[in-house]
Amino acid sequence: MNPPETTTLREKLSGTVVTAADPGYDAARAVWNGDIDRRPAVVAECATREDVVTALAFGRDKGLEITVRGGGHSFSGSAVADDGLVIDLGGLRRITVDPDARTAVVGGGALWADVDEATQRHGLATVGGTVSDTGVGGLTLGGGFGWLTAKHGLTIDNLLSAEVVTADGRILRASEAEHPDLFWALRGGGGNFGVVTEFEFRLHRVGLAEVGLFFWTLADAPEAMRFAKDVIASLPSGTGSMLVGLNAPPAPFVPPELHLAPGLALVVAGFDGPERHGLLVERIRSGLPTAFELVTPMPYAELQKLLDPTAPRGILAYEKSLYVASLSEKVIDLIAARLPDKASPTTVLPIVPLQDTFSTVHDDATAFGGPRAPGFVVGMAATAPTPELLAADRVWTRRLWEELLPHSNNHGGYLNFMNEYDEDRVRTAFGAEKYARLAAIKAVYDPDNVFRHNANIRPAG
């Protein structure tokens, strides 16, 4: 935009306005996925909720496409659009913890590393992803899996209220008592309903995590998946777990000859003390022999960073996902057969078990677009340092996804693991009844579909 067009916005905003004419433009438009290279007309770096109202009014008045950036960590790059307005919440990162009430109020621009650090000072935590650099806003609005999901559900199951700037510039508090329809929609319906400037979370006592990481090479992949399936099915209640196809990290606990070796890892995280976890570790050790292992107590905030090396900012990325009711023989055979074909050493295939507390929440309690029954979400996260490797693993991801699709119990997949938001997939993810309810709520709070650069739900009418 021409400088005179942004003069009013610069005068009104307490934060910073950045355009292509400003020296910080490239940094201001950058997002986590280095494969996204979009050039917005304006980036409004908001410092207050009033800044959000001002920026939103400016964007609507100028007829700009409007996007919202919390952490900017989505694979899709939905936080930025060509020639649009980015409402950047990076200045809203304040976190207030009430250790007596066991609650935390979190700014819409905070990262999970911020939340973990602030809450762990009091021995508390809430459910928050598995990569610490992820933004609180995007992960929460899409549902939110984490190491604590088996024990405390999804992130949205621990959301108590949210402050929202709606498309018409109102600032609302959404909770079970206030605007309950909006509150229901925010818990899983994505960024369709407004700009969330503040989240209030329920916290839980979380001390040291007892962590076990067990790695098998590709030669043992089919047997390892079957063994891991049996282990996961009999885990002590509330134990966090993940089965991951990945390359071994070049870490001190990995034998040098296995650095970057492709294989399969089972990660288990216990939160009920070393004795209970020790029995689980011994059971795993007495099963299928591993190539290497890491068994150690770990501060929860460090557990949250365990997978960070697989997702550095600027890496080129593409992702798809789906749900399966079980790791059937066919699913295991397909995954084990395709794992050797991935090209990039950073590409991962996370298989997240959904059980215990997750599946005790009634499906209608939130807008979450996935089955609440026990099962797994299978992610195929292609990440690469070069365009050539990304292109190869994009093909690999799509092929494996298509092969697994007949075995899925929800073809839409998990909103936060989507790269392309085509309407059919979004509708399928939510199901007809839930999508219709969301569309009706969308018509109330965003009838013009201002917030559409997301897993978009069109307003009813």
Side-chain angles (χ1 to χ4, degrees):
M1 301 188 75
N2 296 324
E5 292 183 275
T6 59
T7 298
T8 302
L9 183 60
R10 292 180 191 274
E11 290 173 348
K12 290 183 177 180
L13 213 70
S14 60
T16 304
V17 175
V18 184
T19 69
D22 297 306
Y25 177 70
D26 283 338
R29 70 186 179 89
V31 291
W32 167 81
N33 185 353
D35 193 45
I36 305 297
D37 183 21
R38 298 176 189 150
R39 301 183 65 84
V42 189
V43 178
E45 297 178 339
C46 299
T48 66
R49 63 184 186 181
E50 289 77 19
D51 278 356
V52 174
V53 175
T54 298
L56 182 57
F58 173 85
R60 297 201 67 179
D61 180 64
K62 298 295 183 183
L64 297 173
E65 297 285 323
I66 293 171
T67 63
V68 182
R69 178 166 61 195
H73 203 280
S74 73
F75 277 73
S76 69
S78 58
V80 61
D82 287 327
D83 303 319
L85 165 71
V86 178
I87 297 178
D88 187 338
L89 305 180
L92 300 172
R93 291 178 72 164
R94 182 180 177 184
I95 299 169
T96 304
V97 178
D98 185 334
D100 295 325
R102 294 191 187 178
T103 60
V105 176
V106 178
L111 305 180
W112 280 108
D114 303 328
V115 178
D116 296 334
E117 179 183 350
T119 56
Q120 279 285 280
R121 292 182 195 138
H122 306 279
L124 300 169
T126 194
V127 182
T130 54
V131 172
S132 71
D133 189 45
T134 306
V136 168
L139 182 132
T140 300
L141 296 174
F145 301 117
W147 294 111
L148 290 170
T149 289
K151 198 169 186 66
H152 299 300
L154 294 172
T155 306
I156 54 173
D157 299 330
N158 296 276
L159 183 65
L160 298 174
S161 69
E163 181 183 84
V164 188
V165 177
T166 58
D168 58 5
R170 289 178 294 160
I171 301 174
L172 304 179
R173 173 66 59 175
S175 67
E176 294 284 7
E178 303 174 82
H179 305 286
D181 57 339
L182 177 59
F183 185 55
W184 179 86
L186 292 173
R187 287 175 293 161
N192 279 284
F193 305 95
V195 184
V196 180
T197 51
E198 189 175 270
F199 298 87
E200 181 189 12
F201 293 108
R202 179 187 300 110
L203 303 178
H204 307 275
R205 288 283 175 205
V206 178
L208 281 177
E210 302 291 335
V211 178
L213 185 156
F214 305 89
F215 183 91
W216 297 271
T217 62
L218 287 182
D220 291 322
E223 293 79 8
M225 288 193 71
R226 292 182 178 92
F227 175 66
K229 172 187 174 180
D230 292 340
V231 170
I232 290 167
S234 59
L235 286 174
S237 177
T239 303
S241 62
M242 185 186 299
L243 185 59
V244 194
L246 80 171
N247 289 57
F253 63 87
V254 178
E257 66 273 17
L258 291 176
H259 283 190
L260 299 180
L264 195 76
L266 172 64
V267 185
V268 292
F271 301 97
D272 295 309
E275 290 186 13
R276 192 183 192 197
H277 189 72
L279 295 173
L280 170 61
V281 167
E282 288 308 311
R283 183 190 162 202
I284 297 173
R285 282 175 171 164
S286 65
L288 187 68
T290 62
F292 65 83
E293 67 174 46
L294 171 68
V295 176
T296 182
M298 188 179 294
Y300 174 74
E302 292 307 306
L303 170 62
Q304 289 287 84
K305 299 175 183 177
L306 188 64
L307 298 180
D308 283 7
T310 68
R313 282 195 174 255
I315 200 160
L316 313 180
Y318 178 85
E319 186 170 36
K320 294 182 84 69
S321 71
L322 44 71
Y323 294 94
V324 294
S326 68
L327 295 181
S328 66
E329 286 298 304
K330 188 61 176 176
V331 168
I332 288 173
D333 289 344
L334 281 170
I335 292 174
R338 292 298 174 210
L339 270 177
D341 298 335
K342 77 180 186 71
S344 173
T346 56
T347 289
V348 296
L349 192 148
I351 303 173
V352 183
L354 306 174
Q355 54 195 32
D356 299 345
T357 300
F358 165 85
S359 55
T360 65
V361 178
H362 196 278
D363 183 61
D364 292 336
T366 69
F368 178 66
R372 281 288 190 160
F376 300 83
V377 60
V378 181
M380 289 141 269
T383 62
T386 67
E388 293 77 17
L389 283 174
L390 180 65
D393 277 2
R394 184 185 285 114
V395 172
W396 174 82
T397 293
R398 288 172 173 166
R399 182 178 181 183
L400 178 56
W401 183 81
E402 289 170 357
E403 290 177 334
L404 288 172
L405 204 57
H407 310 282
S408 171
N409 60 339
N410 184 309
H411 295 178
Y414 175 42
L415 256 62
N416 288 346
F417 288 177
M418 284 187 185
N419 229 95
E420 300 119 344
Y421 294 131
D422 43 276
E423 186 174 354
D424 286 347
R425 276 196 73 198
V426 174
R427 285 179 177 271
T428 302
F430 287 110
E433 288 187 19
K434 195 167 277 190
Y435 186 93
R437 184 177 174 185
L438 286 165
I441 297 170
K442 176 82 167 179
V444 173
Y445 294 97
D446 184 16
D448 298 322
N449 204 12
V450 172
F451 302 111
R452 57 181 174 269
H453 287 272
N454 47 42
N456 192 229
I457 296 160
R458 296 178 184 273

